[in-house]
Amino acid sequence: MRKDQIAIGIDIGGTNSKMGIFNLDGKLLNYQSMPTAKNANPADFIEYLAQESEKMLSSELNIKLGDQRIVGVGAGAPMANYYTGSVEHAPNLGWKNVPLKNLFEHYFKVPAVIENDANLAAVGEKKWGAGKDLTDFVLITLGTGVGSGLICDGKLYRGHNALGAEGGHIIIPHEQKRLCSCGGMNHLESYLSAKGIKETIHDLTKEDWTIEKLGQLFGDGDLRATSIINQIADELASGLVSIGVLFGPQAFIIGGGVSKLGNPFNHVVKKKMDELIHFSLKGKINVLTATLSSDKGAVYGGAAHIFDEVHRR
Ligand SMILES: [Zn+2]
């Protein structure tokens, strides 16, 4: 195997798309972010991504698409199905029945895999990040939405037809009633998405705080910040307990924007989880922060995934 292999990781999001070029050690060599062309012809958008990647490859490494060093593309997109290679329906992109894997292979001229973004982030943490030495963990991304990726016995678990591992849509007990973006009621995402946390902060303070401000005030011992942290940690812990008793993971790894709260927040979540969880699991599941990136987890994961896939063949 060549030591100078590289892979391209891509994360197609509802607002922006991100693309990175990685070497075998998971080092990010070049990166760019661009607006996602929504409601446009998906083939045109993938062709545009290929053109942009070619610019990055030529400026950073002086190579073109099709070069032997490029092993492939790993891409995340909403509702991307690894098994079928297509996106059946992604309302926020205006996509229906898009053969995404084929489009990537056509325009990038290399093998491609597609997954949802949380699955990719889990694969990335397993290969290069906080899950490197773990065989069983659940990555929870707390960002615009709430996603989860399950690594069971060292491998990504997707469920039948890749329709499982959607921890963001676990129903949690709550005295309030809050709609989820999917239309369901009181899902983990109703409370732990960026929008959900913003709503909780506003309910308790009548102000708008960023996650950074919340973390800073919590560190300073501010009483309002402490009560917000306690509330969102309670909500998150009740979701994690349900996932925890089912899978018995070694750890939950928190990724996405909320992971900026870091260990002080993880500590509160772990304490609340241990209060609620079945006695056999008390004290046995860690709560860690994703180490690759709070906003590029799926980009790292895309590259990790295609390296794994190609090396397995
Ligand atoms: Zn939902």
Side-chain angles (χ1 to χ4, degrees):
M1 189 180 79
R2 297 180 63 145
K3 293 271 182 269
D4 61 351
Q5 287 183 336
I6 55 162
I8 302 171
I10 295 177
D11 179 16
I12 299 176
T15 310
N16 290 307
S17 293
K18 303 162 187 172
M19 180 156 63
I21 298 168
F22 294 83
N23 71 11
L24 267 176
D25 300 324
K27 184 170 180 242
L28 181 57
L29 304 173
N30 203 333
Y31 170 80
Q32 69 164 311
S33 169
M34 61 223 101
T36 302
K38 286 190 268 189
N39 303 308
N41 180 356
D44 292 344
F45 184 57
I46 305 308
E47 184 179 19
Y48 164 74
L49 290 178
Q51 289 162 355
E52 290 302 305
S53 77
E54 188 133 88
K55 287 182 202 162
M56 290 162 71
L57 289 163
S58 94
S59 76
E60 185 66 35
L61 302 161
N62 204 20
I63 58 174
K64 289 183 160 183
L65 284 176
D67 189 278
Q68 294 292 313
R69 287 179 63 185
I70 309 167
V71 299
V73 177
M79 305 305 291
N81 188 318
Y82 171 80
Y83 296 117
T84 63
S86 66
V87 174
E88 200 175 307
H89 188 198
N92 57 351
L93 298 177
W95 286 6
K96 262 192 174 168
N97 298 318
V98 176
L100 194 59
K101 176 177 151 70
N102 286 348
L103 290 174
F104 273 113
E105 292 185 338
H106 176 73
Y107 289 109
F108 282 74
K109 303 170 192 148
V110 281
V113 287
I114 64 165
E115 288 278 1
N116 80 51
D117 56 352
N119 281 2
L120 280 187
V123 172
E125 289 296 325
K126 169 70 188 143
K127 192 171 179 71
W128 294 317
K132 209 171 160 186
D133 300 320
L134 306 179
T135 53
D136 299 273
F137 68 87
V138 182
L139 178 117
I140 304 282
T141 55
L142 304 174
T144 310
V146 174
S148 65
L150 263 65
I151 300 290
C152 292
D153 206 11
K155 291 195 288 277
L156 183 66
Y157 177 85
R158 302 179 180 88
H160 185 64
N161 205 19
L163 293 175
E166 290 289 351
H169 304 285
I170 270 191
I171 298 170
I172 60 166
H174 211 286
E175 58 201 14
Q176 288 181 34
K177 278 194 162 185
R178 237 191 241 179
L179 267 177
C180 180
S181 66
C182 72
M185 187 65 76
N186 281 358
H187 291 180
L188 191 56
E189 182 169 307
S190 314
Y191 297 93
L192 268 298
S193 63
K195 185 170 164 273
I197 292 175
K198 203 176 162 188
E199 202 175 321
T200 301
I201 292 173
H202 198 267
D203 283 351
L204 295 176
T205 65
K206 306 295 170 218
E207 291 171 20
D208 292 320
W209 297 358
T210 60
I211 289 293
E212 287 86 349
K213 180 170 176 181
L214 173 63
Q216 197 195 330
L217 289 173
F218 178 60
D220 295 343
D222 179 272
L223 288 178
R224 289 188 303 170
T226 305
S227 82
I228 293 163
I229 289 286
N230 277 325
Q231 181 169 330
I232 60 176
D234 260 334
E235 291 158 349
L236 179 56
S238 53
L240 298 189
V241 163
S242 298
I243 301 171
V245 289
L246 202 54
F247 290 99
Q250 293 155 289
F252 287 103
I253 300 179
I254 312 289
V258 174
S259 67
K260 291 179 200 153
L261 293 172
N263 279 332
F265 177 64
N266 298 349
H267 182 76
V268 183
V269 174
K270 181 171 176 1
K271 192 165 159 274
K272 294 192 180 279
M273 190 171 73
D274 281 336
E275 283 165 13
L276 296 170
I277 205 160
H278 188 261
F279 65 84
S280 63
L281 287 165
K282 280 189 198 298
K284 294 187 179 149
I285 307 178
N286 276 323
V287 180
L288 310 169
T289 301
T291 55
L292 294 179
S293 164
S294 65
D295 66 341
K296 304 182 196 77
V299 183
Y300 276 87
H305 199 339
I306 191 70
F307 272 135
D308 284 350
E309 190 95 354
V310 170
H311 296 158
R312 209 179 292 131
R313 284 173 195 166

